[in-house]
Amino acid sequence: MDREELRAIIEEVAAGTAGVDDALARLAGAGIDDLGFARIDTDRERRTGLAEVIFAPGKTDEQLEALVGRCLELHGKVLVTRLEPERALPLLGTFSELRFHDAARVLEARPDAEPAHPMVAVVSAGTSDLPVAEEAAVVLEHLGHPVDRVVDVGVAGIHRLFSQLDRLRAARAVVVAAGMEGALPSVVAGLVDRPVVAVPTSVGYGASFGGVAALLGMLNSCAAGIGVVNIDNGFGAATLVHRIASSDGGDR
Amino acid sequence: MDREELRAIIEEVAAGTAGVDDALARLAGAGIDDLGFARIDTDRERRTGLAEVIFAPGKTDEQLEALVGRCLELHGKVLVTRLEPERALPLLGTFSELRFHDAARVLEARPDAEPAHPMVAVVSAGTSDLPVAEEAAVVLEHLGHPVDRVVDVGVAGIHRLFSQLDRLRAARAVVVAAGMEGALPSVVAGLVDRPVVAVPTSVGYGASFGGVAALLGMLNSCAAGIGVVNIDNGFGAATLVHRIASSDGGDR
Amino acid sequence: MDREELRAIIEEVAAGTAGVDDALARLAGAGIDDLGFARIDTDRERRTGLAEVIFAPGKTDEQLEALVGRCLELHGKVLVTRLEPERALPLLGTFSELRFHDAARVLEARPDAEPAHPMVAVVSAGTSDLPVAEEAAVVLEHLGHPVDRVVDVGVAGIHRLFSQLDRLRAARAVVVAAGMEGALPSVVAGLVDRPVVAVPTSVGYGASFGGVAALLGMLNSCAAGIGVVNIDNGFGAATLVHRIASSDGGDR
Amino acid sequence: MDREELRAIIEEVAAGTAGVDDALARLAGAGIDDLGFARIDTDRERRTGLAEVIFAPGKTDEQLEALVGRCLELHGKVLVTRLEPERALPLLGTFSELRFHDAARVLEARPDAEPAHPMVAVVSAGTSDLPVAEEAAVVLEHLGHPVDRVVDVGVAGIHRLFSQLDRLRAARAVVVAAGMEGALPSVVAGLVDRPVVAVPTSVGYGASFGGVAALLGMLNSCAAGIGVVNIDNGFGAATLVHRIASSDGGDR
Amino acid sequence: MDREELRAIIEEVAAGTAGVDDALARLAGAGIDDLGFARIDTDRERRTGLAEVIFAPGKTDEQLEALVGRCLELHGKVLVTRLEPERALPLLGTFSELRFHDAARVLEARPDAEPAHPMVAVVSAGTSDLPVAEEAAVVLEHLGHPVDRVVDVGVAGIHRLFSQLDRLRAARAVVVAAGMEGALPSVVAGLVDRPVVAVPTSVGYGASFGGVAALLGMLNSCAAGIGVVNIDNGFGAATLVHRIASSDGGDR
Amino acid sequence: MDREELRAIIEEVAAGTAGVDDALARLAGAGIDDLGFARIDTDRERRTGLAEVIFAPGKTDEQLEALVGRCLELHGKVLVTRLEPERALPLLGTFSELRFHDAARVLEARPDAEPAHPMVAVVSAGTSDLPVAEEAAVVLEHLGHPVDRVVDVGVAGIHRLFSQLDRLRAARAVVVAAGMEGALPSVVAGLVDRPVVAVPTSVGYGASFGGVAALLGMLNSCAAGIGVVNIDNGFGAATLVHRIASSDGGDR
Amino acid sequence: MDREELRAIIEEVAAGTAGVDDALARLAGAGIDDLGFARIDTDRERRTGLAEVIFAPGKTDEQLEALVGRCLELHGKVLVTRLEPERALPLLGTFSELRFHDAARVLEARPDAEPAHPMVAVVSAGTSDLPVAEEAAVVLEHLGHPVDRVVDVGVAGIHRLFSQLDRLRAARAVVVAAGMEGALPSVVAGLVDRPVVAVPTSVGYGASFGGVAALLGMLNSCAAGIGVVNIDNGFGAATLVHRIASSDGGDR
Amino acid sequence: MDREELRAIIEEVAAGTAGVDDALARLAGAGIDDLGFARIDTDRERRTGLAEVIFAPGKTDEQLEALVGRCLELHGKVLVTRLEPERALPLLGTFSELRFHDAARVLEARPDAEPAHPMVAVVSAGTSDLPVAEEAAVVLEHLGHPVDRVVDVGVAGIHRLFSQLDRLRAARAVVVAAGMEGALPSVVAGLVDRPVVAVPTSVGYGASFGGVAALLGMLNSCAAGIGVVNIDNGFGAATLVHRIASSDGGDR
């Protein structure tokens, strides 16, 4: 609850149109939809620009169905991440408005009228990084951004990147997904002036330690202008890019 | 060297106004100023929006003086980070246009006509996080951003943060510096819709492992819209925020 | 064996009602029930307030059955933790007094007359943390505490927690289970004056390292009044809370 | 700000004794004392049972003096931890009510009328663990607890512990500070029924990794009823014990 | 694209035999074969001496088939590493020129006329290290080197190594694959004067941490002349040895 | 090959009963039995007191059968560790002299006339540590030691250990297998004067990190007289105890 | 207190020569000498074969002097480890029977009549490992063992070791101190049949991580018969060797 | 001692020109020069191509002087690494043939007639990496290689590298020293066909962990043909390059 809502309630109290107990109850219960096992944060989109998203792992099938149904009722849209295809199937049967993105493991229903946000780029170093890059790309599309996908431009043959720089410069921000040594974001950030959101992937073997090597490479980049998200967290990269790109212009 | 420059040189060759050897030399030497022990990347500002910055540790006093002098000649401005006060003194004597920020350990000369970029906020969780926050704030001011500093709003008394939310919402982006468990960026990103750049600080003891606990906390945030930079890397946070905030509007 | 028992035996020796060899044997064998592959610590409840509990992993089905049977004979109750449902089934068939808690993976037989201990709260940050929270809650109920379960109050929408603070303040102590960045215990301990027992869960991905990020977050909390237990160790949290809450009043 | 205060302000609005702007300002500024570089959480003691404590590292001498002075004004008492003796000296000169505990590195002024809280025990495994144990003991005494110090009862000669068990059983809760393998809390928790707050110390060498070995030993204890705090965090142990021991009885 | 190619294009422009747009397109597109999901670096063999190799994990069956087919068209040869036997089968059916090496998990088609490169040795410490050693050996044979395999000469019976030293001295370079403590490369490098490429294997248990112990042992070798590659990376060892051995003589 | 053998060969050369080439061949080939994929160290028992042992993981069924057969021919006995029951079955069918120990996962054929070595003790902290303890016990029995197994004497009920101390004192050396915090070896070494060989087990969860917590606990023991072996390495513990116990008396 | 002492006290009670309170007091206070800040374990030598040893770090000068004085009174000997030379000086002035070993940083007074224990060997890989090896050697001499020091036989020139094997075979047990990759114990244990006590040293740089690389190398040794102690823990190695070597023969 | 020397001695025995005891003594003592605290491996240069080198840390001034003097006598040259300038001074006074390289911290006396080995390149990413690169370069010059130093070509401005590729292609092998994310070796190995020896440096801050981030980046390189040495180990890189480059041609 922010300052304006708070002021509105207190002004009602001052005006006598709301009682004290009513005001207290509204202050306590605002922005929560209680499902028993979960409390949907119904206020989140207004507050942070992004409605609550359902992270599938660790939730039972029953919980998933209840959450998806309630989100559709509340918002007319829903976004579920890290969903295995076999768990998506029954949900697709129950809710006809859903669509499943296999490579990205994302289930979603988009709002009818999509907002028109700036174009963003999603770059992947190698073929094995595609699932993570796709999670970012699909979430960004869900949020209303045209996405330009640039694939297989890893640093072992860096001329493949150079021929694509104009595409990166045309984007409002750039997601770069890379595993192994995670050097691609450094090179990209040294060549273009867009904000770079780096996603380490767990691609690699041996001393890659499930993406830790790539994560450390990105955190220690000698290039400026890079923000890092968690390993394999395409979703997190997308939400940061959305905040960067959706708040252009406006009243600030 | 980008597409336009490349085209320009080739068109000169086609027009016969440039010879082959001359063209090759210009292609090879473009954008480099060779000091012997270093090659200043003179093209970096045009390419990435940020001129080359001097990271002081590991450089000798002679190298520092040469680099500062050359940058001033080339750009009329300079930025040196992680500089100990006793090493700043002789430089301040030699170059009268320099100014040293003690808390931030930053030495700089700003350009005469500063660009007018959007306002950004720099938040610190506790008093001990101030040096890192100051590094971010001073670099942002060097780059032309008004900076709103919000101090001492750690999660152990979270109402202190709530009374400052309007300041955060008024900023184009928010830097959050925090040590110990590093929870503040999660709370901030759950309350406002601005891009949050999280800087873990090495403040803490015991199992904080020099900032690793805070770093992990930020990478694993349950809130969306956070990009993380290296431990104590106020400079890195500033450059990411600058890319986010300086590229508003324009031809994209 | 404590001072009183020791005194009792020595007084019998002094009184001539016990021989030296008999006394030595009683001193050596006291409080142990030997099953060959295990020695049940029959004295533990009197000594520490909690009878020996059976940790299922690494035990064969035969060992489990023997231990459960013997505990029921000795104490009229039993508690088995980390038990897979398929291993619980045959035990439920053999011993009719048993009850299995699926979400908590706990098998138990409660004593007939449960003690009436103070109410405690068990808080979980997200839906995925519920299994760990349930282990804590079921063990606390087994030990005689009414449990108030507070679910889905993670820091990404922190107003959901604020509306529940009165429930936490009404409890004698509070268990907080959280994964990812593990920030919830810090926020709770900054808002209420109850002892907070923090349980990191292995919920998360990437650089959460199976709960290590949450564990470090909790150990490095900037808030006071938090004790941490092992990752996913709902049982450990329950036993600490039981010691805190069961020893109120009394002769001290 | 809790429910009662909130109700009070809203009732004033409803009664017309407070205006809307006044109410909003009181809601925003409540419980904060702004020093510019810090915001003292003046509400913390009422909310959590413990007034704000000053952690010395990373603060300048000027900041320390300002904070100590303001805390004395606000509360008539103050507690500073991790203070080097040479930094304590000028403060002792300025504020005559202060007292410095050398072994514990704690500076404090106690309130005139100390509360009478239950007795607690502080156990240390070896002589080298004494500074950490002393930090816990002095903080507990500051908070109004009689403290029984039990020293040098490490597991290499475990009979030294057995002769002290009655002292532990007489305490409301037990702090156990131990370095090296950190086994003492396991043994203590297996012998007495008091809540055990385990503090790993950084005492050791080689693969003790600055207390990590002891920390892991305590988290993985095979005994029940142990809560762990950060390495060398005697202060944290004291605050948890204080919450455990100070909230006995009462209306819950 | 290297200096000679660049000069050639610019000379064509100067001579008027190439237009500006044509030259720019050739500069941008050179050395890339775009498959949509991947961009084959067709220039890599000329540039680095090794054509692009297909790392199988993380690629779909469709992607593998397309890549293998295209490589065969482009180069008349192909090399696929880390391929499970069941994934090799359909490829062997489709492309008759392929051959699968089971122990090495390598699929390849060799060029018709193999180059004749110097002999190299591949040493394995124990039987369990053979798969990694075989990956190195098969890749080296693919690249045109005769390979002398020296097996089971671990340091627990070091006289087994001594009787094989002449074979190592006859090789141009030596790959040494070892797990557990990874001491064999140190001993080899202390006995012969050949470059030693050390491959830690993930063979071991407990505190071998999946090959980290061996990796650290090799990096910290007290002997000179050792280069280390990633854990289990027989392929990487082979490519380094190929660069060492294939560039003998020549115009340098 | 040791000094005596070397002298014997050289004396034959001096006496003219051996030629130079023959001597060199004997020096090179001594003590090796070459199976192609492995070189059995036939000299190891004489040199180190323990014939070569077969570590099963990473070997194919064919390699295992060849190695077992050859060892039986060479030594009339064999020892295979870490063998899964399903892999033991065919070997038991082929070689009738073999015996499989299920709990220890050890396959062995003992020599006809076992040596009579001193009695040793194998202690396990909990039921889950039994497989590791059994590996140690069976290997020790294979090597000719009577073994006294002491089970379930973990530190959570330490009086269970005290009643068994006489058994430990009667042994020549003591193996202690423990997981979780790994505190038992410290307590044992503080109570008896036997050499203690500590085996950390991977029993535990959360921050036990697969036995690392127990390993660190044992390495950092505050008690003297403890040697540590790798996690779960019952075999390694047995071989160290064998060296300790088998070399009593003699000519040293 | 062991069985015999316990029996003696109880028999006195049975005989009426000791009262109940007196017996209880003797049971409680046995084997402890209370100095206030420390409880000397006076019973330790009889129980474990080694009197209490003073680990200097973390103790104040006053505590050191009191402990040294009391140990001399109680035992007529004393052993202080990890003592800086400047802290040894005043103690040498106060107690004339003391002797300081500079390289080993050990202060000691030996008993008048030294026991005659078996000879042991202390091997060091390089010159930098000498301080740790010396700590082991001096402690062993304090305990009555002749020590054969074998220096500078690292694996980079392994023939230097071969010429010393007879010295190792003549020892009852062998301490091997090595840093860097820590491979020497593996090679030694593969060549001689003595128990090998491996001490990793913190010698090295880069990824040696203060001795962790050597520690892991030793724990993962492919050779049998090695027990490992903590990094730089020459004292621990000596006490294990003492238990191994001093208990030969005797009444077992 | 290798096969030829062995054969020579045995042939002398066969010919009667050497006795058995004499032969055994020569076999045992060959190639060792015993200084008491060290055994110089006089045979190392012939065996491995590199005479023994003195690693200064951990050696006393006396030991250094003795080793330097003896090496000069034996070989007429010497190489000391990691030597602080203040420790070099007295040695420069004693031995007039020595020369100290300040940036590289290397002290050396070169042989009169230097061998003429192939040219090699030493590349450093940034100014702070120069000391490590210089250690490699000076050692290579000591060993007889012309060295081409390529400085300040880090990936944040990668065009600086492109203009230097011809220099790298002209070298027999390339050393690349880089800190921070350590990406430069990947880019170099993707552009030229020379063997690349990658040296991670400890340059960086925060989560660079003293060079671990760079080390992991290099081990996980997506480019082929890279061998990695320890952090800051310029010496190790030089010795590997020397083995690669010095053995060209010859009789193999």
Side-chain angles (χ1 to χ4, degrees), chain C residues 5-173:
Chain C
E5 288 179 298
L6 184 57
R7 173 177 288 275
I9 293 176
I10 292 184
E11 284 178 343
E12 285 188 53
V13 173
T17 58
V20 168
D21 287 333
D22 175 46
L24 283 170
R26 280 162 66 191
L27 289 170
I32 300 171
D33 188 79
D34 194 337
L35 295 187
F37 66 92
R39 291 164 200 272
I40 299 183
D41 180 356
T42 56
D43 188 43
R44 192 171 294 179
E45 185 165 19
R46 193 194 51 72
R47 206 171 66 237
T48 71
L50 180 68
E52 203 168 32
V53 172
I54 304 168
F55 180 66
K59 296 197 174 59
T60 66
D61 290 346
E62 291 70 32
Q63 291 172 340
L64 269 185
E65 183 174 331
L67 284 165
V68 168
R70 193 69 186 119
C71 283
L72 285 171
E73 282 173 29
L74 287 168
H75 306 299
K77 65 182 177 185
V78 73
L79 187 66
V80 186
T81 62
R82 300 288 165 102
L83 188 68
E84 298 307 314
E86 59 275 17
R87 299 190 69 196
L89 227 69
L91 292 168
L92 288 164
T94 309
F95 305 100
S96 62
E97 56 270 65
L98 294 176
R99 179 177 162 208
F100 186 63
H101 301 263
D102 203 78
R105 287 181 301 155
V106 166
L107 184 82
E108 63 156 346
R110 294 196 187 168
D112 291 339
E114 288 190 22
H117 285 306
M119 197 267 283
V120 295
V122 174
V123 181
S124 50
T127 312
S128 306
D129 303 312
L130 282 176
V132 175
E134 269 306 291
E135 189 185 62
V138 168
V139 170
L140 280 162
E141 289 173 340
H142 177 90
L143 296 171
H145 297 272
V147 175
D148 189 12
R149 289 160 169 89
V150 180
V151 302
D152 203 11
V153 291
V155 299
I158 208 160
H159 62 298
R160 296 177 300 183
L161 173 65
F162 291 154
S163 62
Q164 312 295 324
L165 290 181
D166 288 348
R167 293 169 67 185
L168 304 189
R169 291 195 181 107
R172 178 63 185 84

Side-chain angles (χ1 to χ4, degrees), chain A residues 1-11 46, chain B residues 166 169, chain D residues 24:
Chain A
M1 173 164 295
D2 64 10
R3 204 174 176 81
E4 282 74 49
E5 289 179 297
L6 186 57
R7 173 178 287 275
I9 293 176
I10 291 184
E11 284 177 343
R46 193 194 51 71
Chain B
D166 288 348
R169 290 194 182 110
Chain D
L24 283 169

Side-chain angles (χ1 to χ4, degrees), chain B residues 54-78:
Chain B
I54 303 168
F55 180 67
K59 296 196 174 58
T60 66
D61 290 347
E62 291 69 33
Q63 291 171 338
L64 268 184
E65 183 174 331
L67 285 165
V68 167
R70 192 72 185 116
C71 283
L72 284 171
E73 281 173 30
L74 287 168
H75 307 298
K77 65 183 175 183
V78 73

Side-chain angles (χ1 to χ4, degrees), chain A residues 151-214:
Chain A
V151 302
D152 203 12
V153 290
V155 299
I158 208 159
H159 62 298
R160 295 178 299 185
L161 173 65
F162 291 154
S163 61
Q164 311 296 324
L165 289 181
D166 288 348
R167 294 168 66 185
L168 304 188
R169 290 195 182 108
R172 177 64 186 84
V174 181
V175 173
V176 182
M180 308 186 93
E181 80 270 61
L184 189 56
S186 291
V187 176
V188 168
L191 290 168
V192 305
D193 66 348
R194 307 287 86 199
V196 172
V197 178
V199 198
T201 72
S202 54
V203 170
Y205 49 93
S208 73
F209 302 129
V212 169

Side-chain angles (χ1 to χ4, degrees), chain H residues 135-190:
Chain H
E135 188 185 61
V138 169
V139 171
L140 281 162
E141 289 172 340
H142 176 91
L143 296 171
H145 297 271
V147 174
D148 188 13
R149 291 161 167 86
V150 180
V151 302
D152 204 11
V153 291
V155 299
I158 208 159
H159 62 298
R160 296 177 298 185
L161 172 65
F162 290 155
S163 61
Q164 312 296 324
L165 290 181
D166 289 347
R167 294 168 67 185
L168 305 188
R169 291 194 181 111
R172 178 63 185 84
V174 181
V175 173
V176 183
M180 307 186 94
E181 80 271 62
L184 188 56
S186 291
V187 176
V188 168

Side-chain angles (χ1 to χ4, degrees), chain D residues 154-159 162 179-183 186-187 189-191 204-209 212-213 216-224, chain F residues 154-159 162 179-183 186-187 189-191 204-209 212-213 216-224:
Chain D
V155 300
I158 208 160
H159 62 298
F162 291 154
M180 307 187 94
E181 81 269 62
S186 291
V187 176
L191 290 168
Y205 49 91
S208 73
F209 302 128
V212 169
L216 291 181
M218 292 168 180
L219 286 169
N220 287 286
S221 173
C222 57
Chain F
V155 299
I158 208 159
H159 62 298
F162 291 155
M180 307 187 93
E181 81 270 61
S186 291
V187 176
L191 291 168
Y205 48 93
S208 74
F209 301 128
V212 169
L216 291 181
M218 292 166 180
L219 285 170
N220 288 285
S221 173
C222 58

Side-chain angles (χ1 to χ4, degrees), chain B:
Chain B
M1 174 165 294
D2 63 10
R3 205 173 176 81
E4 281 74 49
E5 289 179 297
L6 185 57
R7 172 179 288 276
I9 293 176
I10 292 183
E11 285 178 342
E12 286 187 53
V13 173
T17 58
V20 169
D21 287 334
D22 174 47
L24 284 169
R26 281 161 67 191
L27 288 170
I32 300 170
D33 189 77
D34 195 335
L35 296 187
F37 67 91
R39 292 165 200 272
I40 300 182
D41 180 355
T42 55
D43 187 45
R44 192 171 293 178
E45 185 165 20
R46 192 195 52 72
R47 205 171 67 238
T48 71
L50 180 68
E52 204 167 35
V53 171
I54 303 168
F55 180 67
K59 296 196 174 58
T60 66
D61 290 347
E62 291 69 33
Q63 291 171 338
L64 268 184
E65 183 174 331
L67 285 165
V68 167
R70 192 72 185 116
C71 283
L72 284 171
E73 281 173 30
L74 287 168
H75 307 298
K77 65 183 175 183
V78 73
L79 186 65
V80 186
T81 62
R82 302 287 167 100
L83 188 69
E84 297 307 313
E86 59 274 17
R87 301 189 69 195
L89 227 69
L91 292 167
L92 289 165
T94 309
F95 305 99
S96 61
E97 55 271 66
L98 294 176
R99 178 177 162 209
F100 186 63
H101 301 262
D102 203 78
R105 286 181 301 154
V106 166
L107 183 81
E108 63 158 347
R110 295 195 188 171
D112 291 338
E114 288 191 21
H117 285 305
M119 197 266 285
V120 295
V122 174
V123 181
S124 51
T127 310
S128 307
D129 302 312
L130 282 177
V132 175
E134 270 307 291
E135 188 185 60
V138 168
V139 171
L140 281 162
E141 289 173 340
H142 176 91
L143 296 171
H145 297 271
V147 174
D148 189 13
R149 290 161 168 87
V150 180
V151 302
D152 204 12
V153 290
V155 300
I158 208 161
H159 62 297
R160 295 176 299 184
L161 172 65
F162 291 155
S163 62
Q164 311 296 324
L165 291 181
D166 288 348
R167 294 169 67 185
L168 304 189
R169 290 194 182 110
R172 178 63 186 83
V174 181
V175 173
V176 183
M180 307 187 93
E181 81 270 61
L184 188 57
S186 292
V187 176
V188 168
L191 291 168
V192 305
D193 66 349
R194 306 287 86 198
V196 172
V197 177
V199 198
T201 72
S202 54
V203 169
Y205 49 92
S208 73
F209 301 127
V212 169
L215 171 63
L216 291 181
M218 292 168 179
L219 286 170
N220 288 285
S221 173
C222 57
I226 300 174
V228 184
V229 299
N230 203 351
I231 297 165
D232 288 339
N233 191 2
F235 169 74
T239 62
L240 176 55
V241 162
H242 176 60
R243 289 197 179 196
I244 292 171
S246 65
S247 52
D248 278 0
D251 58 332
R252 294 184 183 92

